[in-house]
Amino acid sequence: IRVFVGISICPSMIIANGLEILTPLVLEKLDLDPAIATGPFVITGINILIVLTYFLIAGFLLQI
C-alpha cells in the first residue's frame, strides 16, 4: 500500500498545481471574482482528483 501512495503523490501534485493555476483564470473569464470563489473550487477539486488518482493508480498496479 505504501507503494501506491508513493507513486500517486507525483501525479496528484501535478494535477493540484494545474487546477490551482487554471481555476482563477477560468473564473476571471466568467466575470466572477477569483479571490472569493477560488478557495472552495480548488479545495474540492483537489480532494476529488487526488482520491481518483490514487484509486486509478492502485487499480492499475493491482492488475499487473
Side-chain angles (χ1 to χ4, degrees):
I1 293 182
R2 292 180 189 164
V3 173
F4 301 147
V5 174
I7 292 174
S8 67
I9 286 175
C10 184
S12 297
M13 294 303 290
I14 292 170
I15 291 169
N17 287 328
L19 189 64
E20 289 175 3
I21 292 169
L22 292 177
T23 302
L25 296 175
V26 170
L27 290 174
E28 190 173 337
K29 292 287 184 185
L30 296 174
D31 291 330
L32 298 172
D33 187 12
I36 295 173
T38 297
F41 287 129
V42 169
I43 296 296
T44 304
I46 287 174
N47 288 335
I48 291 169
L49 291 174
I50 287 176
V51 170
L52 180 65
T53 303
Y54 172 75
F55 283 127
L56 286 173
I57 290 173
F60 176 73
L61 291 176
L62 286 173
Q63 289 179 356
I64 292 179

